[in-house]
Amino acid sequence: MLDVRLIHYFLVVAREQNMTRAAAELHISQPSLSAQISELESRIGVKLFRRTNKNTLLTEDGILFRSRAQELLDLSDKIESEFTVGAGGVSGDIFLGCAETHIMSYISEVFRQMKLEYPDVRLHIYSGDAEAVRERLDKGLLDVGLLLGPAVHEKYDYIGLGMYDTFGLLVPRDCDLAERASISVGELSELPILMSRQTASGSQNIIGMNPAEIHTVGSYNLATNVTYMVEQGLGYALCIDNLVNTEGRNLRFIPIKPEVRLEAYIVTKKYAYLSKAVRVFLQRLNTAE
């Protein structure tokens, strides 16, 4: 079994790319750190670093191991937090994964009310598309996912929130389209579209149209960043409503008609162990009005 301490040492060296700087941060000698890294490489049977005169760089195996090592440390921290006992017997960390959505306002309000009663509970948010959230749920790195779309995966338990995200186009306020009250799905093929990566991946048929039929000029995963591309006239962003504040900016949101919307679900891995803090959080989400 790998020592968590060695994994931590590895990640510090990988970040600093220098054994001396990493040793100083870890408050150990450089020869001792080198010996620890050599022990780790011996245990897993591959070289993780290649040394130059000035730097300590990751090998290809090292790059792969870094992603796995970080996941392992995240899981270790999560397990430790689940057994922390605080006020009222409910404390510790809740790990939630979601894409950008205005529904997080509702989730945050539910958690705020919970924290008034259980101040030692902490909420950690991982932002990613549906595929990334499901992957982290499967690995045990997340307790809860907030996903949009039909509940189709049998390995998860779902709580329907009765809330929806609706889709439309974010366009410059000074363009001809900004005068429109709505736009149809069919018209998207005629426009330069900045596509969200979740939509472009084809993992969800969100808009009822093959993404390959859309004239995609770019992609994004954070709506905040794509707003600047829209303002500069580089394309129209396909996104959800109530996510971007268009007030005082060269931006306007135009809904798609007929309405394109996806229901929001709280998702947990079926048969997974859930800490008391997570169970209370889910109960409150399930009963909140």
Side-chain angles (χ1 to χ4, degrees), residues 170-205:
L170 194 64
V171 306
R173 192 178 294 274
D174 57 7
C175 75
D176 293 340
L177 274 180
E179 305 299 322
R180 298 274 298 273
S182 64
I183 191 166
S184 68
V185 171
E187 291 177 281
L188 297 180
S189 63
E190 304 170 1
L191 301 172
I193 301 297
L194 295 162
M195 183 83 76
S196 74
R197 290 182 184 167
Q198 180 170 331
T199 306
S201 70
S203 59
Q204 293 188 43
N205 189 13

mmCIF file of all heavy atoms in Angstrom, residues 170-205:
data_model
loop_
_atom_site.group_PDB
_atom_site.id
_atom_site.type_symbol
_atom_site.label_atom_id
_atom_site.label_comp_id
_atom_site.label_asym_id
_atom_site.label_seq_id
_atom_site.Cartn_x
_atom_site.Cartn_y
_atom_site.Cartn_z
ATOM 1 N N LEU A 170 -26.540 34.033 -26.123
ATOM 2 C CA LEU A 170 -26.000 35.278 -25.608
ATOM 3 C C LEU A 170 -25.372 36.010 -26.785
ATOM 4 O O LEU A 170 -24.462 35.482 -27.444
ATOM 5 C CB LEU A 170 -24.957 34.993 -24.529
ATOM 6 C CG LEU A 170 -24.519 36.169 -23.660
ATOM 7 C CD1 LEU A 170 -25.685 36.686 -22.828
ATOM 8 C CD2 LEU A 170 -23.363 35.756 -22.766
ATOM 9 N N VAL A 171 -25.884 37.203 -27.090
ATOM 10 C CA VAL A 171 -25.448 37.936 -28.285
ATOM 11 C C VAL A 171 -25.032 39.349 -27.895
ATOM 12 O O VAL A 171 -25.419 39.851 -26.836
ATOM 13 C CB VAL A 171 -26.577 37.997 -29.338
ATOM 14 C CG1 VAL A 171 -27.090 36.599 -29.665
ATOM 15 C CG2 VAL A 171 -27.724 38.887 -28.854
ATOM 16 N N PRO A 172 -24.243 40.032 -28.740
ATOM 17 C CA PRO A 172 -23.934 41.438 -28.467
ATOM 18 C C PRO A 172 -25.195 42.288 -28.559
ATOM 19 O O PRO A 172 -26.022 42.098 -29.453
ATOM 20 C CB PRO A 172 -22.939 41.805 -29.573
ATOM 21 C CG PRO A 172 -22.416 40.505 -30.084
ATOM 22 C CD PRO A 172 -23.541 39.526 -29.926
ATOM 23 N N ARG A 173 -25.330 43.208 -27.664
ATOM 24 C CA ARG A 173 -26.514 44.065 -27.651
ATOM 25 C C ARG A 173 -26.595 44.949 -28.891
ATOM 26 O O ARG A 173 -27.684 45.394 -29.284
ATOM 27 C CB ARG A 173 -26.498 44.933 -26.383
ATOM 28 C CG ARG A 173 -27.799 45.664 -26.101
ATOM 29 C CD ARG A 173 -27.706 46.460 -24.815
ATOM 30 N NE ARG A 173 -27.574 45.584 -23.669
ATOM 31 C CZ ARG A 173 -28.599 45.040 -23.019
ATOM 32 N NH1 ARG A 173 -29.835 45.297 -23.434
ATOM 33 N NH2 ARG A 173 -28.404 44.272 -21.983
ATOM 34 N N ASP A 174 -25.447 45.172 -29.552
ATOM 35 C CA ASP A 174 -25.447 46.070 -30.709
ATOM 36 C C ASP A 174 -25.549 45.318 -32.041
ATOM 37 O O ASP A 174 -25.301 45.894 -33.101
ATOM 38 C CB ASP A 174 -24.192 46.950 -30.710
ATOM 39 C CG ASP A 174 -22.890 46.142 -30.698
ATOM 40 O OD1 ASP A 174 -22.956 44.895 -30.823
ATOM 41 O OD2 ASP A 174 -21.819 46.753 -30.555
ATOM 42 N N CYS A 175 -25.932 44.028 -32.019
ATOM 43 C CA CYS A 175 -26.080 43.283 -33.274
ATOM 44 C C CYS A 175 -27.552 43.181 -33.654
ATOM 45 O O CYS A 175 -28.442 43.445 -32.838
ATOM 46 C CB CYS A 175 -25.458 41.884 -33.151
ATOM 47 S SG CYS A 175 -26.449 40.714 -32.193
ATOM 48 N N ASP A 176 -27.831 42.798 -34.891
ATOM 49 C CA ASP A 176 -29.219 42.722 -35.372
ATOM 50 C C ASP A 176 -30.037 41.706 -34.583
ATOM 51 O O ASP A 176 -31.226 41.908 -34.331
ATOM 52 C CB ASP A 176 -29.225 42.359 -36.862
ATOM 53 C CG ASP A 176 -28.651 43.463 -37.741
ATOM 54 O OD1 ASP A 176 -28.607 44.617 -37.261
ATOM 55 O OD2 ASP A 176 -28.246 43.165 -38.875
ATOM 56 N N LEU A 177 -29.408 40.585 -34.194
ATOM 57 C CA LEU A 177 -30.135 39.549 -33.458
ATOM 58 C C LEU A 177 -30.688 40.053 -32.136
ATOM 59 O O LEU A 177 -31.667 39.513 -31.612
ATOM 60 C CB LEU A 177 -29.227 38.344 -33.192
ATOM 61 C CG LEU A 177 -29.130 37.270 -34.264
ATOM 62 C CD1 LEU A 177 -28.186 36.168 -33.808
ATOM 63 C CD2 LEU A 177 -30.502 36.695 -34.581
ATOM 64 N N ALA A 178 -30.060 41.068 -31.562
ATOM 65 C CA ALA A 178 -30.471 41.556 -30.245
ATOM 66 C C ALA A 178 -31.894 42.114 -30.254
ATOM 67 O O ALA A 178 -32.513 42.251 -29.197
ATOM 68 C CB ALA A 178 -29.495 42.621 -29.763
ATOM 69 N N GLU A 179 -32.424 42.408 -31.446
ATOM 70 C CA GLU A 179 -33.793 42.916 -31.537
ATOM 71 C C GLU A 179 -34.831 41.802 -31.497
ATOM 72 O O GLU A 179 -36.027 42.067 -31.352
ATOM 73 C CB GLU A 179 -33.960 43.739 -32.833
ATOM 74 C CG GLU A 179 -32.959 44.879 -32.989
ATOM 75 C CD GLU A 179 -33.086 45.894 -31.869
ATOM 76 O OE1 GLU A 179 -34.227 46.165 -31.452
ATOM 77 O OE2 GLU A 179 -32.039 46.399 -31.411
ATOM 78 N N ARG A 180 -34.372 40.566 -31.623
ATOM 79 C CA ARG A 180 -35.299 39.432 -31.673
ATOM 80 C C ARG A 180 -35.820 39.079 -30.290
ATOM 81 O O ARG A 180 -35.106 39.147 -29.288
ATOM 82 C CB ARG A 180 -34.590 38.216 -32.269
ATOM 83 C CG ARG A 180 -34.094 38.403 -33.714
ATOM 84 C CD ARG A 180 -35.195 38.080 -34.688
ATOM 85 N NE ARG A 180 -35.591 36.696 -34.563
ATOM 86 C CZ ARG A 180 -35.006 35.679 -35.202
ATOM 87 N NH1 ARG A 180 -33.975 35.915 -36.017
ATOM 88 N NH2 ARG A 180 -35.444 34.440 -35.055
ATOM 89 N N ALA A 181 -37.084 38.631 -30.227
ATOM 90 C CA ALA A 181 -37.658 38.172 -28.955
ATOM 91 C C ALA A 181 -37.266 36.733 -28.673
ATOM 92 O O ALA A 181 -37.231 36.301 -27.507
ATOM 93 C CB ALA A 181 -39.183 38.294 -28.989
ATOM 94 N N SER A 182 -36.959 35.948 -29.720
ATOM 95 C CA SER A 182 -36.571 34.553 -29.547
ATOM 96 C C SER A 182 -35.882 34.087 -30.823
ATOM 97 O O SER A 182 -35.855 34.795 -31.832
ATOM 98 C CB SER A 182 -37.785 33.670 -29.250
ATOM 99 O OG SER A 182 -38.684 33.663 -30.354
ATOM 100 N N ILE A 183 -35.357 32.861 -30.767
ATOM 101 C CA ILE A 183 -34.710 32.255 -31.922
ATOM 102 C C ILE A 183 -35.032 30.772 -31.919
ATOM 103 O O ILE A 183 -35.218 30.169 -30.855
ATOM 104 C CB ILE A 183 -33.183 32.489 -31.904
ATOM 105 C CG1 ILE A 183 -32.555 32.097 -33.235
ATOM 106 C CG2 ILE A 183 -32.526 31.749 -30.739
ATOM 107 C CD1 ILE A 183 -31.138 32.622 -33.393
ATOM 108 N N SER A 184 -35.146 30.175 -33.106
ATOM 109 C CA SER A 184 -35.481 28.752 -33.186
ATOM 110 C C SER A 184 -34.208 27.912 -33.226
ATOM 111 O O SER A 184 -33.136 28.389 -33.590
ATOM 112 C CB SER A 184 -36.320 28.473 -34.433
ATOM 113 O OG SER A 184 -35.532 28.650 -35.604
ATOM 114 N N VAL A 185 -34.351 26.631 -32.879
ATOM 115 C CA VAL A 185 -33.219 25.711 -32.913
ATOM 116 C C VAL A 185 -32.654 25.621 -34.329
ATOM 117 O O VAL A 185 -31.435 25.614 -34.535
ATOM 118 C CB VAL A 185 -33.631 24.318 -32.404
ATOM 119 C CG1 VAL A 185 -32.522 23.296 -32.650
ATOM 120 C CG2 VAL A 185 -33.975 24.369 -30.922
ATOM 121 N N GLY A 186 -33.543 25.564 -35.329
ATOM 122 C CA GLY A 186 -33.100 25.408 -36.705
ATOM 123 C C GLY A 186 -32.204 26.532 -37.174
ATOM 124 O O GLY A 186 -31.331 26.333 -38.032
ATOM 125 N N GLU A 187 -32.384 27.732 -36.634
ATOM 126 C CA GLU A 187 -31.580 28.877 -37.054
ATOM 127 C C GLU A 187 -30.142 28.800 -36.561
ATOM 128 O O GLU A 187 -29.272 29.517 -37.057
ATOM 129 C CB GLU A 187 -32.223 30.171 -36.550
ATOM 130 C CG GLU A 187 -33.536 30.519 -37.236
ATOM 131 C CD GLU A 187 -34.159 31.765 -36.640
ATOM 132 O OE1 GLU A 187 -34.773 31.674 -35.555
ATOM 133 O OE2 GLU A 187 -34.016 32.840 -37.257
ATOM 134 N N LEU A 188 -29.885 27.950 -35.583
ATOM 135 C CA LEU A 188 -28.537 27.868 -35.015
ATOM 136 C C LEU A 188 -27.514 27.435 -36.055
ATOM 137 O O LEU A 188 -26.344 27.817 -35.985
ATOM 138 C CB LEU A 188 -28.510 26.899 -33.828
ATOM 139 C CG LEU A 188 -29.375 27.282 -32.627
ATOM 140 C CD1 LEU A 188 -29.240 26.227 -31.534
ATOM 141 C CD2 LEU A 188 -28.992 28.649 -32.082
ATOM 142 N N SER A 189 -27.938 26.616 -37.036
ATOM 143 C CA SER A 189 -27.006 26.128 -38.056
ATOM 144 C C SER A 189 -26.516 27.246 -38.962
ATOM 145 O O SER A 189 -25.529 27.077 -39.679
ATOM 146 C CB SER A 189 -27.669 25.032 -38.896
ATOM 147 O OG SER A 189 -28.788 25.558 -39.593
ATOM 148 N N GLU A 190 -27.186 28.384 -38.927
ATOM 149 C CA GLU A 190 -26.823 29.496 -39.802
ATOM 150 C C GLU A 190 -25.996 30.561 -39.092
ATOM 151 O O GLU A 190 -25.623 31.564 -39.703
ATOM 152 C CB GLU A 190 -28.102 30.140 -40.361
ATOM 153 C CG GLU A 190 -29.009 29.151 -41.084
ATOM 154 C CD GLU A 190 -30.362 29.759 -41.400
ATOM 155 O OE1 GLU A 190 -30.562 30.952 -41.073
ATOM 156 O OE2 GLU A 190 -31.216 29.054 -41.961
ATOM 157 N N LEU A 191 -25.702 30.343 -37.809
ATOM 158 C CA LEU A 191 -25.040 31.368 -37.013
ATOM 159 C C LEU A 191 -23.686 30.880 -36.487
ATOM 160 O O LEU A 191 -23.493 29.673 -36.287
ATOM 161 C CB LEU A 191 -25.932 31.753 -35.825
ATOM 162 C CG LEU A 191 -27.312 32.302 -36.162
ATOM 163 C CD1 LEU A 191 -28.141 32.443 -34.890
ATOM 164 C CD2 LEU A 191 -27.188 33.655 -36.874
ATOM 165 N N PRO A 192 -22.740 31.782 -36.247
ATOM 166 C CA PRO A 192 -21.459 31.402 -35.643
ATOM 167 C C PRO A 192 -21.647 31.177 -34.135
ATOM 168 O O PRO A 192 -21.841 32.133 -33.383
ATOM 169 C CB PRO A 192 -20.554 32.610 -35.932
ATOM 170 C CG PRO A 192 -21.495 33.765 -36.020
ATOM 171 C CD PRO A 192 -22.779 33.226 -36.602
ATOM 172 N N ILE A 193 -21.562 29.926 -33.712
ATOM 173 C CA ILE A 193 -21.917 29.570 -32.341
ATOM 174 C C ILE A 193 -20.679 29.251 -31.509
ATOM 175 O O ILE A 193 -19.790 28.510 -31.931
ATOM 176 C CB ILE A 193 -22.869 28.361 -32.318
ATOM 177 C CG1 ILE A 193 -24.144 28.668 -33.108
ATOM 178 C CG2 ILE A 193 -23.198 27.959 -30.887
ATOM 179 C CD1 ILE A 193 -24.973 29.799 -32.529
ATOM 180 N N LEU A 194 -20.641 29.833 -30.316
ATOM 181 C CA LEU A 194 -19.670 29.449 -29.297
ATOM 182 C C LEU A 194 -20.364 28.425 -28.413
ATOM 183 O O LEU A 194 -21.321 28.743 -27.701
ATOM 184 C CB LEU A 194 -19.242 30.669 -28.483
ATOM 185 C CG LEU A 194 -18.487 31.747 -29.274
ATOM 186 C CD1 LEU A 194 -18.485 33.080 -28.521
ATOM 187 C CD2 LEU A 194 -17.061 31.295 -29.546
ATOM 188 N N MET A 195 -19.919 27.189 -28.481
ATOM 189 C CA MET A 195 -20.622 26.070 -27.861
ATOM 190 C C MET A 195 -20.007 25.694 -26.520
ATOM 191 O O MET A 195 -18.786 25.620 -26.389
ATOM 192 C CB MET A 195 -20.558 24.859 -28.799
ATOM 193 C CG MET A 195 -21.315 23.640 -28.305
ATOM 194 S SD MET A 195 -23.074 23.719 -28.677
ATOM 195 C CE MET A 195 -23.036 23.327 -30.431
ATOM 196 N N SER A 196 -20.857 25.461 -25.529
ATOM 197 C CA SER A 196 -20.338 24.938 -24.268
ATOM 198 C C SER A 196 -19.803 23.534 -24.510
ATOM 199 O O SER A 196 -20.328 22.795 -25.337
ATOM 200 C CB SER A 196 -21.434 24.906 -23.200
ATOM 201 O OG SER A 196 -22.341 23.863 -23.447
ATOM 202 N N ARG A 197 -18.754 23.145 -23.819
ATOM 203 C CA ARG A 197 -18.123 21.860 -24.083
ATOM 204 C C ARG A 197 -19.026 20.694 -23.742
ATOM 205 O O ARG A 197 -18.947 19.642 -24.357
ATOM 206 C CB ARG A 197 -16.799 21.766 -23.315
ATOM 207 C CG ARG A 197 -15.750 22.703 -23.884
ATOM 208 C CD ARG A 197 -14.432 22.598 -23.193
ATOM 209 N NE ARG A 197 -13.502 23.589 -23.739
ATOM 210 C CZ ARG A 197 -12.353 23.909 -23.182
ATOM 211 N NH1 ARG A 197 -11.969 23.322 -22.073
ATOM 212 N NH2 ARG A 197 -11.569 24.806 -23.735
ATOM 213 N N GLN A 198 -19.880 20.867 -22.741
ATOM 214 C CA GLN A 198 -20.807 19.790 -22.413
ATOM 215 C C GLN A 198 -21.768 19.539 -23.565
ATOM 216 O O GLN A 198 -22.049 18.404 -23.931
ATOM 217 C CB GLN A 198 -21.593 20.115 -21.144
ATOM 218 C CG GLN A 198 -22.574 19.004 -20.762
ATOM 219 C CD GLN A 198 -23.171 19.206 -19.383
ATOM 220 O OE1 GLN A 198 -22.557 19.795 -18.517
ATOM 221 N NE2 GLN A 198 -24.374 18.712 -19.190
ATOM 222 N N THR A 199 -22.266 20.610 -24.176
ATOM 223 C CA THR A 199 -23.165 20.458 -25.307
ATOM 224 C C THR A 199 -22.421 19.894 -26.510
ATOM 225 O O THR A 199 -22.904 19.008 -27.207
ATOM 226 C CB THR A 199 -23.788 21.817 -25.678
ATOM 227 O OG1 THR A 199 -24.401 22.373 -24.518
ATOM 228 C CG2 THR A 199 -24.828 21.649 -26.761
ATOM 229 N N ALA A 200 -21.200 20.391 -26.739
ATOM 230 C CA ALA A 200 -20.432 19.958 -27.901
ATOM 231 C C ALA A 200 -19.995 18.508 -27.802
ATOM 232 O O ALA A 200 -19.786 17.843 -28.818
ATOM 233 C CB ALA A 200 -19.202 20.848 -28.069
ATOM 234 N N SER A 201 -19.869 17.982 -26.572
ATOM 235 C CA SER A 201 -19.384 16.612 -26.409
ATOM 236 C C SER A 201 -20.387 15.584 -26.908
ATOM 237 O O SER A 201 -20.032 14.436 -27.165
ATOM 238 C CB SER A 201 -19.097 16.332 -24.926
ATOM 239 O OG SER A 201 -20.301 16.275 -24.178
ATOM 240 N N GLY A 202 -21.656 16.001 -27.009
ATOM 241 C CA GLY A 202 -22.677 15.075 -27.470
ATOM 242 C C GLY A 202 -23.148 14.124 -26.391
ATOM 243 O O GLY A 202 -23.942 13.227 -26.656
ATOM 244 N N SER A 203 -22.656 14.317 -25.128
ATOM 245 C CA SER A 203 -23.070 13.423 -24.051
ATOM 246 C C SER A 203 -24.534 13.631 -23.686
ATOM 247 O O SER A 203 -25.168 12.762 -23.109
ATOM 248 C CB SER A 203 -22.190 13.649 -22.818
ATOM 249 O OG SER A 203 -22.274 14.994 -22.371
ATOM 250 N N GLN A 204 -25.063 14.797 -24.001
ATOM 251 C CA GLN A 204 -26.479 15.054 -23.799
ATOM 252 C C GLN A 204 -27.024 15.740 -25.054
ATOM 253 O O GLN A 204 -26.415 16.678 -25.560
ATOM 254 C CB GLN A 204 -26.715 15.974 -22.594
ATOM 255 C CG GLN A 204 -26.351 15.356 -21.256
ATOM 256 C CD GLN A 204 -26.805 16.262 -20.126
ATOM 257 O OE1 GLN A 204 -27.902 16.797 -20.145
ATOM 258 N NE2 GLN A 204 -25.962 16.423 -19.136
ATOM 259 N N ASN A 205 -28.155 15.257 -25.542
ATOM 260 C CA ASN A 205 -28.784 15.895 -26.699
ATOM 261 C C ASN A 205 -29.614 17.069 -26.189
ATOM 262 O O ASN A 205 -30.835 17.048 -26.191
ATOM 263 C CB ASN A 205 -29.654 14.885 -27.440
ATOM 264 C CG ASN A 205 -30.156 15.446 -28.756
ATOM 265 O OD1 ASN A 205 -29.692 16.465 -29.234
ATOM 266 N ND2 ASN A 205 -31.131 14.774 -29.336
#
